[in-house]
Amino acid sequence: MQQAANTARATRNPDQTRQRILEAAFMEIYRNGFQGMRLDEVLAATHLTKGALYHHFPNKQALGYAVVDEVILPMVQAVWILPLRGAADPLQALIDVIEQMPDTKPPEMIQYGCPLNNLAQEMSPLDEGFRQRLDHAFGEWHGATRQALQQAQQQGLIRTDCDCEEIATFVMAALEGCIGLAKSAQSKDRLKVCNRGLIQFLRSLKTH
Amino acid sequence: MQQAANTARATRNPDQTRQRILEAAFMEIYRNGFQGMRLDEVLAATHLTKGALYHHFPNKQALGYAVVDEVILPMVQAVWILPLRGAADPLQALIDVIEQMPDTKPPEMIQYGCPLNNLAQEMSPLDEGFRQRLDHAFGEWHGATRQALQQAQQQGLIRTDCDCEEIATFVMAALEGCIGLAKSAQSKDRLKVCNRGLIQFLRSLKTH
DNA sequence: TATTCTACAGACCAGACAGTATGTAGGCAA
DNA sequence: TTGCCTACATACTGTCTGGTCTGTAGAATA
Protein backbone atom coordinates (compact mmCIF):
# COMPACT_ATOMS: atom_id res chain seq x y z
CA MET A 1 0.00 0.00 0.00
CA GLN A 2 1.39 3.28 -1.09
CA GLN A 3 -0.04 6.72 -0.41
CA ALA A 4 1.18 10.19 -1.15
CA ALA A 5 2.82 10.20 2.26
CA ASN A 6 3.27 13.71 3.58
CA THR A 7 1.01 15.56 1.20
CA ALA A 8 3.41 18.16 -0.12
CA ARG A 9 6.85 16.78 -0.79
CA ALA A 10 9.16 19.50 -1.97
CA THR A 11 11.03 18.91 -5.14
CA ARG A 12 13.75 16.36 -4.66
CA ASN A 13 16.78 17.50 -2.78
CA PRO A 14 18.92 14.53 -1.84
CA ASP A 15 21.81 16.59 -0.51
CA GLN A 16 19.56 18.37 1.92
CA THR A 17 17.95 15.10 2.96
CA ARG A 18 21.33 13.63 3.67
CA GLN A 19 22.26 16.67 5.69
CA ARG A 20 19.07 16.47 7.73
CA ILE A 21 19.81 12.86 8.55
CA LEU A 22 23.34 13.76 9.57
CA GLU A 23 22.21 16.51 11.87
CA ALA A 24 19.50 14.44 13.50
CA ALA A 25 21.94 11.58 13.94
CA PHE A 26 24.43 13.94 15.49
CA MET A 27 21.91 15.11 18.07
CA GLU A 28 20.96 11.55 18.92
CA ILE A 29 24.60 10.57 19.31
CA TYR A 30 25.30 13.70 21.31
CA ARG A 31 22.51 12.90 23.74
CA ASN A 32 22.67 9.11 23.95
CA GLY A 33 26.03 8.09 22.59
CA PHE A 34 26.54 6.08 19.42
CA GLN A 35 25.43 2.80 20.92
CA GLY A 36 22.47 4.56 22.45
CA MET A 37 21.42 6.20 19.21
CA ARG A 38 18.30 4.60 17.72
CA LEU A 39 17.84 4.87 13.99
CA ASP A 40 14.09 5.06 14.51
CA GLU A 41 14.60 8.21 16.57
CA VAL A 42 16.66 9.76 13.83
CA LEU A 43 13.95 8.96 11.33
CA ALA A 44 11.22 10.33 13.57
CA ALA A 45 13.17 13.55 14.01
CA THR A 46 13.59 13.97 10.27
CA HIS A 47 10.15 12.63 9.26
CA LEU A 48 11.89 10.21 6.97
CA THR A 49 11.84 6.44 6.69
CA LYS A 50 14.19 3.51 6.58
CA GLY A 51 14.32 3.71 2.83
CA ALA A 52 15.77 7.20 2.88
CA LEU A 53 18.33 6.43 5.54
CA TYR A 54 19.60 3.26 3.93
CA HIS A 55 19.67 4.95 0.57
CA HIS A 56 22.17 7.51 1.85
CA PHE A 57 24.11 5.33 4.31
CA PRO A 58 24.89 1.63 4.08
CA ASN A 59 24.55 1.02 7.81
CA LYS A 60 24.60 2.55 11.26
CA GLN A 61 28.36 2.52 11.52
CA ALA A 62 28.81 4.44 8.25
CA LEU A 63 26.30 7.00 9.48
CA GLY A 64 28.34 7.38 12.64
CA TYR A 65 31.56 7.84 10.69
CA ALA A 66 29.89 10.48 8.50
CA VAL A 67 28.69 12.33 11.60
CA VAL A 68 32.27 12.55 12.79
CA ASP A 69 33.68 13.68 9.47
CA GLU A 70 30.93 16.03 8.38
CA VAL A 71 29.48 17.39 11.61
CA ILE A 72 31.84 17.01 14.54
CA LEU A 73 35.09 17.83 12.78
CA PRO A 74 33.77 21.10 11.29
CA MET A 75 32.35 21.93 14.71
CA VAL A 76 35.77 21.51 16.32
CA GLN A 77 37.27 23.75 13.70
CA ALA A 78 34.65 26.42 14.25
CA VAL A 79 34.88 26.41 18.04
CA TRP A 80 38.53 25.77 18.79
CA ILE A 81 40.56 26.44 15.69
CA LEU A 82 39.16 29.39 13.75
CA PRO A 83 39.07 31.75 16.78
CA LEU A 84 42.84 31.35 17.09
CA ARG A 85 43.52 32.19 13.45
CA GLY A 86 45.39 35.42 12.97
CA ALA A 87 45.01 36.69 16.49
CA ALA A 88 47.29 39.54 17.45
CA ASP A 89 47.87 38.02 20.88
CA PRO A 90 47.48 34.26 20.42
CA LEU A 91 47.80 33.44 24.10
CA GLN A 92 45.11 35.92 25.02
CA ALA A 93 42.93 34.59 22.20
CA LEU A 94 43.25 31.12 23.66
CA ILE A 95 42.40 32.38 27.13
CA ASP A 96 39.43 34.28 25.74
CA VAL A 97 37.99 31.24 24.01
CA ILE A 98 38.27 29.25 27.22
CA GLU A 99 36.92 31.99 29.42
CA GLN A 100 33.92 32.71 27.25
CA MET A 101 33.04 29.09 26.67
CA PRO A 102 30.71 28.63 29.65
CA ASP A 103 28.55 31.52 28.54
CA THR A 104 28.70 31.20 24.76
CA LYS A 105 27.59 27.59 24.52
CA PRO A 106 25.23 26.73 27.38
CA PRO A 107 23.29 24.87 28.38
CA GLU A 108 23.89 21.95 26.05
CA MET A 109 27.61 21.95 26.66
CA ILE A 110 27.02 21.58 30.39
CA GLN A 111 24.34 18.97 30.05
CA TYR A 112 25.84 16.79 27.36
CA GLY A 113 29.51 17.73 27.31
CA CYS A 114 31.80 17.89 24.31
CA PRO A 115 30.56 15.91 21.30
CA LEU A 116 34.09 15.08 20.21
CA ASN A 117 35.21 13.82 23.58
CA ASN A 118 31.99 11.98 24.32
CA LEU A 119 32.27 9.92 21.21
CA ALA A 120 36.00 9.43 21.63
CA GLN A 121 35.57 8.10 25.15
CA GLU A 122 32.77 5.79 24.14
CA MET A 123 34.06 4.40 20.89
CA SER A 124 37.85 4.60 20.86
CA PRO A 125 38.38 1.24 22.54
CA LEU A 126 35.55 -0.42 20.61
CA ASP A 127 35.95 0.66 17.00
CA GLU A 128 39.21 1.55 15.33
CA GLY A 129 37.44 3.43 12.54
CA PHE A 130 35.88 5.79 15.02
CA ARG A 131 39.12 6.10 16.94
CA GLN A 132 41.13 7.18 13.92
CA ARG A 133 38.60 9.77 12.80
CA LEU A 134 38.24 11.21 16.28
CA ASP A 135 41.96 11.18 16.89
CA HIS A 136 42.37 13.06 13.64
CA ALA A 137 40.03 15.76 14.95
CA PHE A 138 42.09 15.98 18.13
CA GLY A 139 45.15 16.27 15.93
CA GLU A 140 43.77 19.27 14.04
CA TRP A 141 42.86 20.93 17.28
CA HIS A 142 46.24 20.17 18.76
CA GLY A 143 47.99 21.66 15.74
CA ALA A 144 46.11 24.92 15.99
CA THR A 145 46.71 25.21 19.72
CA ARG A 146 50.39 24.45 19.38
CA GLN A 147 50.72 26.99 16.63
CA ALA A 148 49.08 29.66 18.76
CA LEU A 149 51.47 28.89 21.61
CA GLN A 150 54.48 28.93 19.35
CA GLN A 151 53.48 32.28 17.91
CA ALA A 152 53.05 33.63 21.41
CA GLN A 153 56.48 32.30 22.20
CA GLN A 154 58.01 33.97 19.15
CA GLN A 155 56.35 37.22 20.13
CA GLY A 156 58.01 36.90 23.52
CA LEU A 157 54.70 36.57 25.32
CA ILE A 158 55.47 33.24 26.97
CA ARG A 159 58.69 31.81 28.30
CA THR A 160 61.16 30.25 25.91
CA ASP A 161 61.58 27.12 28.00
CA CYS A 162 57.98 26.09 27.37
CA ASP A 163 57.44 22.99 25.25
CA CYS A 164 54.54 24.19 23.11
CA GLU A 165 53.84 20.74 21.73
CA GLU A 166 53.50 19.33 25.21
CA ILE A 167 51.53 22.24 26.57
CA ALA A 168 49.08 22.13 23.68
CA THR A 169 48.36 18.50 24.48
CA PHE A 170 47.82 19.29 28.12
CA VAL A 171 45.56 22.25 27.36
CA MET A 172 43.31 20.05 25.24
CA ALA A 173 43.21 17.40 27.93
CA ALA A 174 42.51 19.90 30.68
CA LEU A 175 39.74 21.51 28.67
CA GLU A 176 38.04 18.22 28.00
CA GLY A 177 38.46 17.34 31.65
CA CYS A 178 36.84 20.59 32.75
CA ILE A 179 33.88 20.07 30.46
CA GLY A 180 33.56 16.49 31.61
CA LEU A 181 33.60 17.39 35.26
CA ALA A 182 31.01 20.09 34.73
CA LYS A 183 28.85 17.56 32.97
CA SER A 184 29.20 15.11 35.85
CA ALA A 185 28.08 17.82 38.22
CA GLN A 186 25.59 19.26 35.73
CA SER A 187 26.82 22.63 36.86
CA LYS A 188 27.97 25.67 34.96
CA ASP A 189 29.72 26.94 38.08
CA ARG A 190 31.87 23.86 38.15
CA LEU A 191 32.93 24.61 34.60
CA LYS A 192 33.86 28.16 35.48
CA VAL A 193 35.86 27.10 38.53
CA CYS A 194 37.62 24.46 36.52
CA ASN A 195 38.41 26.76 33.63
CA ARG A 196 39.88 29.26 36.03
CA GLY A 197 42.45 26.65 36.98
CA LEU A 198 43.38 26.18 33.36
CA ILE A 199 43.64 29.91 32.78
CA GLN A 200 45.84 30.19 35.85
CA PHE A 201 48.10 27.63 34.26
CA LEU A 202 48.22 29.49 30.96
CA ARG A 203 49.06 32.74 32.71
CA SER A 204 51.88 30.99 34.54
CA LEU A 205 53.54 30.53 31.17
CA LYS A 206 53.85 34.26 30.61
CA THR A 207 57.14 36.04 30.69
CA HIS A 208 57.03 38.28 33.73
CA MET B 1 14.44 -30.51 33.95
CA GLN B 2 17.08 -30.14 36.56
CA GLN B 3 20.57 -31.53 36.52
CA ALA B 4 23.45 -31.06 38.88
CA ALA B 5 24.56 -28.15 36.71
CA ASN B 6 28.28 -27.67 36.97
CA THR B 7 29.11 -30.96 38.66
CA ALA B 8 30.64 -29.68 41.84
CA ARG B 9 28.76 -26.74 43.26
CA ALA B 10 30.50 -25.52 46.36
CA THR B 11 28.42 -25.10 49.46
CA ARG B 12 26.20 -22.08 49.24
CA ASN B 13 27.90 -18.74 49.41
CA PRO B 14 25.53 -15.98 48.36
CA ASP B 15 27.84 -13.14 49.31
CA GLN B 16 30.58 -14.44 47.12
CA THR B 17 28.15 -15.03 44.28
CA ARG B 18 26.95 -11.46 44.55
CA GLN B 19 30.54 -10.25 44.51
CA ARG B 20 31.35 -12.29 41.44
CA ILE B 21 28.39 -10.77 39.63
CA LEU B 22 29.49 -7.29 40.68
CA GLU B 23 33.01 -7.79 39.43
CA ALA B 24 31.95 -9.28 36.13
CA ALA B 25 29.42 -6.49 35.65
CA PHE B 26 32.13 -3.95 36.41
CA MET B 27 34.37 -5.37 33.72
CA GLU B 28 31.56 -5.38 31.19
CA ILE B 29 30.69 -1.79 32.02
CA TYR B 30 34.33 -0.81 31.96
CA ARG B 31 34.76 -2.24 28.50
CA ASN B 32 31.42 -1.47 26.85
CA GLY B 33 29.73 1.16 28.97
CA PHE B 34 26.56 0.66 30.96
CA GLN B 35 24.28 0.71 27.94
CA GLY B 36 26.66 -1.60 26.15
CA MET B 37 26.82 -4.09 29.00
CA ARG B 38 24.86 -7.26 28.22
CA LEU B 39 23.55 -9.23 31.16
CA ASP B 40 24.12 -12.43 29.23
CA GLU B 41 27.80 -11.59 29.04
CA VAL B 42 27.97 -11.04 32.77
CA LEU B 43 26.32 -14.40 33.32
CA ALA B 44 28.64 -16.13 30.88
CA ALA B 45 31.65 -14.65 32.66
CA THR B 46 30.44 -15.85 36.05
CA HIS B 47 28.99 -19.18 34.87
CA LEU B 48 25.72 -18.19 36.50
CA THR B 49 22.20 -17.79 35.18
CA LYS B 50 19.37 -15.30 35.10
CA GLY B 51 17.96 -16.72 38.30
CA ALA B 52 21.07 -15.88 40.26
CA LEU B 53 21.38 -12.38 38.87
CA TYR B 54 17.77 -11.44 39.43
CA HIS B 55 17.88 -12.96 42.89
CA HIS B 56 20.62 -10.54 43.93
CA PHE B 57 19.59 -7.50 41.88
CA PRO B 58 16.10 -6.37 40.92
CA ASN B 59 17.15 -5.09 37.48
CA LYS B 60 19.99 -3.89 35.31
CA GLN B 61 19.92 -0.37 36.69
CA ALA B 62 20.24 -1.55 40.29
CA LEU B 63 23.18 -3.69 39.27
CA GLY B 64 24.79 -0.64 37.72
CA TYR B 65 24.23 1.41 40.85
CA ALA B 66 25.75 -1.34 42.98
CA VAL B 67 28.80 -1.44 40.73
CA VAL B 68 29.34 2.26 41.35
CA ASP B 69 28.89 2.01 45.12
CA GLU B 70 30.69 -1.24 45.75
CA VAL B 71 33.35 -1.45 43.06
CA ILE B 72 34.14 1.92 41.55
CA LEU B 73 33.98 4.04 44.70
CA PRO B 74 36.38 1.78 46.64
CA MET B 75 38.62 1.77 43.61
CA VAL B 76 38.78 5.56 43.57
CA GLN B 77 39.63 5.54 47.24
CA ALA B 78 42.40 3.02 46.76
CA VAL B 79 43.98 4.75 43.78
CA TRP B 80 43.56 8.46 44.46
CA ILE B 81 42.74 8.94 48.10
CA LEU B 82 44.66 6.50 50.27
CA PRO B 83 48.06 7.28 48.74
CA LEU B 84 47.66 10.87 49.93
CA ARG B 85 46.83 9.92 53.51
CA GLY B 86 49.43 10.96 55.99
CA ALA B 87 52.11 11.84 53.48
CA ALA B 88 54.98 13.90 54.86
CA ASP B 89 55.05 16.01 51.70
CA PRO B 90 51.47 16.01 50.37
CA LEU B 91 52.26 17.88 47.19
CA GLN B 92 55.03 15.48 46.30
CA ALA B 93 52.75 12.56 47.13
CA LEU B 94 50.20 13.92 44.68
CA ILE B 95 52.84 14.38 42.02
CA ASP B 96 54.13 10.87 42.65
CA VAL B 97 50.74 9.30 42.21
CA ILE B 98 50.26 11.11 38.93
CA GLU B 99 53.76 10.41 37.68
CA GLN B 100 53.63 6.71 38.46
CA MET B 101 50.14 6.19 37.10
CA PRO B 102 51.09 5.33 33.51
CA ASP B 103 53.35 2.53 34.66
CA THR B 104 51.46 1.17 37.64
CA LYS B 105 48.15 0.58 35.90
CA PRO B 106 48.70 -0.24 32.24
CA PRO B 107 47.55 -1.38 29.83
CA GLU B 108 43.89 -1.35 30.84
CA MET B 109 43.96 2.26 31.91
CA ILE B 110 45.24 3.29 28.49
CA GLN B 111 42.85 1.09 26.59
CA TYR B 112 39.66 1.68 28.53
CA GLY B 113 40.33 4.83 30.51
CA CYS B 114 39.08 5.67 33.98
CA PRO B 115 36.05 3.64 35.10
CA LEU B 116 34.69 6.51 37.14
CA ASN B 117 34.93 9.06 34.38
CA ASN B 118 33.74 6.70 31.67
CA LEU B 119 30.53 6.01 33.47
CA ALA B 120 30.08 9.61 34.52
CA GLN B 121 30.41 10.82 30.95
CA GLU B 122 28.03 8.21 29.65
CA MET B 123 25.33 8.28 32.28
CA SER B 124 25.32 11.67 33.99
CA PRO B 125 22.96 13.30 31.51
CA LEU B 126 20.79 10.20 31.19
CA ASP B 127 20.20 8.95 34.72
CA GLU B 128 20.14 11.10 37.81
CA GLY B 129 20.75 8.11 40.08
CA PHE B 130 24.01 7.36 38.35
CA ARG B 131 24.94 11.00 38.29
CA GLN B 132 24.54 11.46 42.03
CA ARG B 133 26.53 8.37 42.92
CA LEU B 134 29.33 9.23 40.54
CA ASP B 135 29.38 12.85 41.59
CA HIS B 136 29.70 11.65 45.16
CA ALA B 137 32.79 9.67 44.20
CA PHE B 138 34.23 12.78 42.58
CA GLY B 139 33.42 14.63 45.78
CA GLU B 140 35.40 12.20 47.93
CA TRP B 141 38.32 12.43 45.58
CA HIS B 142 38.10 16.20 45.52
CA GLY B 143 38.08 16.36 49.31
CA ALA B 144 41.22 14.29 49.61
CA THR B 145 43.04 16.30 46.96
CA ARG B 146 42.03 19.60 48.49
CA GLN B 147 43.15 18.43 51.90
CA ALA B 148 46.54 17.43 50.53
CA LEU B 149 46.93 20.84 48.93
CA GLN B 150 45.87 22.66 52.07
CA GLN B 151 48.33 20.70 54.15
CA ALA B 152 51.05 21.53 51.68
CA GLN B 153 50.02 25.14 51.95
CA GLN B 154 50.16 25.06 55.74
CA GLN B 155 53.57 23.51 55.53
CA GLY B 156 54.65 26.43 53.37
CA LEU B 157 55.27 24.20 50.38
CA ILE B 158 52.93 26.02 48.04
CA ARG B 159 52.03 29.66 47.74
CA THR B 160 49.50 31.15 50.10
CA ASP B 161 47.55 32.81 47.31
CA CYS B 162 46.52 29.43 45.89
CA ASP B 163 42.85 28.54 46.14
CA CYS B 164 43.15 24.88 47.13
CA GLU B 165 39.49 24.18 46.57
CA GLU B 166 39.71 25.48 43.03
CA ILE B 167 43.00 23.83 42.27
CA ALA B 168 41.81 20.46 43.51
CA THR B 169 38.90 20.65 41.10
CA PHE B 170 41.19 21.52 38.24
CA VAL B 171 43.65 18.76 39.10
CA MET B 172 40.89 16.17 38.97
CA ALA B 173 39.61 17.54 35.68
CA ALA B 174 43.08 17.65 34.17
CA LEU B 175 43.83 14.12 35.27
CA GLU B 176 40.64 12.76 33.76
CA GLY B 177 41.37 14.75 30.65
CA CYS B 178 44.86 13.27 30.37
CA ILE B 179 43.55 9.74 30.76
CA GLY B 180 40.82 10.42 28.25
CA LEU B 181 43.18 11.81 25.66
CA ALA B 182 45.52 8.86 26.09
CA LYS B 183 42.58 6.57 25.57
CA SER B 184 41.57 8.39 22.40
CA ALA B 185 45.08 7.95 21.10
CA GLN B 186 45.46 4.49 22.63
CA SER B 187 48.93 5.58 23.59
CA LYS B 188 50.82 5.44 26.84
CA ASP B 189 53.22 8.08 25.56
CA ARG B 190 50.35 10.50 25.17
CA LEU B 191 49.47 9.92 28.80
CA LYS B 192 53.02 10.61 29.92
CA VAL B 193 53.26 13.80 27.87
CA CYS B 194 49.93 14.94 29.17
CA ASN B 195 50.74 14.18 32.78
CA ARG B 196 53.94 16.13 32.47
CA GLY B 197 51.87 19.20 31.75
CA LEU B 198 49.87 18.65 34.90
CA ILE B 199 52.97 18.14 36.98
CA GLN B 200 54.43 21.31 35.52
CA PHE B 201 51.32 23.08 36.74
CA LEU B 202 51.60 21.60 40.23
CA ARG B 203 55.23 22.61 40.48
CA SER B 204 54.29 26.13 39.47
CA LEU B 205 52.37 26.36 42.72
CA LYS B 206 55.48 25.88 44.81
CA THR B 207 56.99 28.65 46.84
CA HIS B 208 60.29 29.45 45.20
C1' DT C 1 6.42 9.79 -25.32
C1' DA C 2 8.81 5.84 -23.64
C1' DT C 3 12.49 4.44 -20.76
C1' DT C 4 15.46 4.52 -17.07
C1' DC C 5 17.39 5.89 -12.90
C1' DT C 6 17.31 8.25 -8.50
C1' DA C 7 15.29 9.00 -4.10
C1' DC C 8 12.73 7.73 -1.32
C1' DA C 9 8.19 4.97 1.33
C1' DG C 10 6.68 1.29 4.03
C1' DA C 11 6.05 -3.50 5.20
C1' DC C 12 8.60 -7.10 6.97
C1' DC C 13 12.18 -10.08 9.40
C1' DA C 14 15.55 -12.20 12.47
C1' DG C 15 18.19 -11.74 16.28
C1' DA C 16 19.22 -9.67 20.57
C1' DC C 17 18.08 -8.52 25.16
C1' DA C 18 15.86 -7.27 29.61
C1' DG C 19 12.84 -9.29 32.35
C1' DT C 20 9.46 -13.20 34.19
C1' DA C 21 7.53 -17.52 35.75
C1' DT C 22 8.27 -21.77 37.54
C1' DG C 23 10.73 -25.30 39.51
C1' DT C 24 14.05 -27.27 42.79
C1' DA C 25 18.04 -28.47 45.73
C1' DG C 26 20.51 -27.38 49.89
C1' DG C 27 20.59 -25.80 54.57
C1' DC C 28 18.44 -24.50 58.92
C1' DA C 29 14.87 -24.52 62.65
C1' DA C 30 11.56 -26.84 65.25
C1' DT D 1 12.14 -35.94 60.30
C1' DT D 2 9.43 -32.37 58.58
C1' DG D 3 8.68 -28.02 56.87
C1' DC D 4 10.30 -23.77 55.18
C1' DC D 5 13.15 -20.35 53.23
C1' DT D 6 17.09 -19.05 50.59
C1' DA D 7 19.73 -19.43 46.45
C1' DC D 8 19.85 -20.46 42.61
C1' DA D 9 18.64 -23.03 37.34
C1' DT D 10 15.99 -22.98 33.10
C1' DA D 11 12.59 -22.18 29.84
C1' DC D 12 10.00 -18.62 28.00
C1' DT D 13 8.13 -13.98 26.41
C1' DG D 14 7.51 -9.30 24.60
C1' DT D 15 9.73 -5.73 22.75
C1' DC D 16 12.99 -3.24 20.62
C1' DT D 17 16.18 -2.64 16.71
C1' DG D 18 19.31 -2.87 12.84
C1' DG D 19 18.75 -4.23 8.49
C1' DT D 20 16.25 -6.05 4.03
C1' DC D 21 12.98 -6.18 0.30
C1' DT D 22 9.75 -4.55 -2.73
C1' DG D 23 7.37 -0.92 -4.67
C1' DT D 24 6.78 3.71 -6.76
C1' DA D 25 6.66 8.73 -7.90
C1' DG D 26 9.36 12.26 -9.94
C1' DA D 27 13.20 13.81 -12.71
C1' DA D 28 16.46 13.02 -16.34
C1' DT D 29 17.37 11.03 -20.82
C1' DA D 30 16.69 9.55 -25.36
Side-chain angles (χ1 to χ4, degrees):
Chain A
M1 182 176 28
Q2 208 75 12
Q3 65 266 61
N6 278 350
T7 55
R9 294 199 15 72
T11 61
R12 292 183 157 196
N13 196 336
D15 290 353
Q16 188 189 7
T17 300
R18 187 188 144 91
Q19 200 58 31
R20 282 171 55 212
I21 296 173
L22 277 176
E23 276 159 27
F26 165 77
M27 281 311 296
E28 275 295 305
I29 292 175
Y30 189 30
R31 284 198 265 256
N32 304 104
F34 177 73
Q35 300 183 88
M37 165 179 75
R38 305 301 160 197
L39 297 183
D40 287 348
E41 293 294 317
V42 173
L43 297 177
T46 52
H47 302 288
L48 289 168
T49 60
K50 285 281 170 75
L53 199 158
Y54 279 90
H55 174 72
H56 288 284
F57 304 95
N59 51 42
K60 187 184 176 184
Q61 185 189 50
L63 174 57
Y65 286 1
V67 165
V68 177
D69 294 337
E70 301 176 42
V71 181
I72 294 181
L73 180 57
M75 204 170 282
V76 170
Q77 289 168 335
V79 173
W80 300 117
I81 298 180
L82 284 182
L84 299 181
R85 278 273 155 77
D89 183 339
L91 182 63
Q92 192 55 44
L94 185 56
I95 291 176
D96 285 346
V97 174
I98 295 168
E99 208 156 26
Q100 290 161 12
M101 187 220 329
D103 292 311
T104 50
K105 298 187 69 68
E108 291 212 323
M109 178 74 103
I110 308 293
Q111 187 171 10
Y112 296 114
C114 166
L116 172 63
N117 198 45
N118 288 356
L119 203 48
Q121 294 312 305
E122 179 189 3
M123 297 307 294
S124 285
L126 301 180
D127 185 305
E128 181 63 13
F130 269 111
R131 198 195 67 74
Q132 282 178 10
R133 283 154 214 267
L134 293 162
D135 198 44
H136 172 254
F138 276 117
E140 298 266 305
W141 181 9
H142 179 267
T145 306
R146 187 203 48 196
Q147 226 175 11
L149 290 169
Q150 282 172 337
Q151 281 171 17
Q153 201 170 38
Q154 281 160 12
Q155 293 177 232
L157 298 169
I158 66 177
R159 295 197 311 268
T160 53
D161 65 327
C162 289
D163 182 337
C164 295
E165 174 96 12
E166 199 168 299
I167 292 172
T169 305
F170 176 64
V171 168
M172 273 180 13
L175 252 172
E176 291 296 6
C178 292
I179 297 171
L181 215 63
K183 173 177 162 184
S184 300
Q186 291 285 318
S187 149
K188 192 201 278 193
D189 268 2
R190 188 74 64 93
L191 181 57
K192 288 184 178 176
V193 166
C194 228
N195 277 356
R196 244 180 284 158
L198 178 53
I199 291 168
Q200 178 180 340
F201 168 72
L202 286 173
R203 288 202 218 281
S204 79
L205 304 176
K206 283 190 179 175
T207 49
H208 41 265
Chain B
M1 181 177 31
Q2 209 72 17
Q3 65 265 61
N6 278 350
T7 55
R9 293 199 17 73
T11 62
R12 292 185 157 197
N13 196 336
D15 290 352
Q16 189 190 7
T17 300
R18 187 188 144 89
Q19 200 59 30
R20 282 171 55 212
I21 295 174
L22 278 176
E23 277 159 27
F26 166 77
M27 282 310 297
E28 275 294 307
I29 291 175
Y30 189 30
R31 284 198 265 254
N32 303 105
F34 177 73
Q35 301 183 86
M37 166 178 73
R38 305 300 161 198
L39 297 183
D40 288 346
E41 292 296 317
V42 173
L43 298 176
T46 53
H47 300 289
L48 289 168
T49 60
K50 284 279 170 76
L53 198 158
Y54 279 91
H55 175 72
H56 288 284
F57 304 94
N59 51 43
K60 186 184 176 184
Q61 185 190 51
L63 174 58
Y65 286 1
V67 165
V68 177
D69 294 336
E70 301 176 44
V71 181
I72 294 181
L73 180 58
M75 205 169 280
V76 169
Q77 289 167 336
V79 173
W80 299 117
I81 297 179
L82 285 181
L84 300 181
R85 278 270 155 79
D89 183 339
L91 182 64
Q92 191 56 45
L94 185 56
I95 292 176
D96 285 347
V97 174
I98 295 168
E99 207 155 26
Q100 288 160 14
M101 186 220 330
D103 292 313
T104 51
K105 298 187 68 70
E108 289 211 325
M109 178 75 102
I110 307 293
Q111 190 171 9
Y112 296 114
C114 166
L116 171 62
N117 198 43
N118 287 356
L119 204 48
Q121 295 310 306
E122 179 189 4
M123 297 307 293
S124 286
L126 301 180
D127 184 306
E128 181 63 15
F130 268 111
R131 198 195 67 75
Q132 282 177 11
R133 284 152 214 269
L134 294 161
D135 198 44
H136 172 254
F138 276 118
E140 298 266 304
W141 181 9
H142 178 267
T145 307
R146 187 203 48 193
Q147 227 175 12
L149 290 169
Q150 283 172 338
Q151 281 171 18
Q153 201 171 39
Q154 281 158 13
Q155 291 176 235
L157 298 168
I158 66 177
R159 296 196 310 267
T160 53
D161 65 328
C162 289
D163 182 338
C164 294
E165 174 94 14
E166 198 168 300
I167 292 173
T169 305
F170 176 65
V171 167
M172 274 180 15
L175 251 171
E176 292 296 8
C178 292
I179 297 170
L181 214 63
K183 174 176 162 185
S184 299
Q186 292 282 319
S187 149
K188 191 201 283 192
D189 267 2
R190 188 72 63 95
L191 181 58
K192 287 185 177 175
V193 166
C194 229
N195 277 355
R196 244 180 284 157
L198 178 54
I199 290 167
Q200 177 181 339
F201 169 72
L202 287 172
R203 287 201 218 283
S204 80
L205 305 176
K206 283 190 179 174
T207 50
H208 41 264

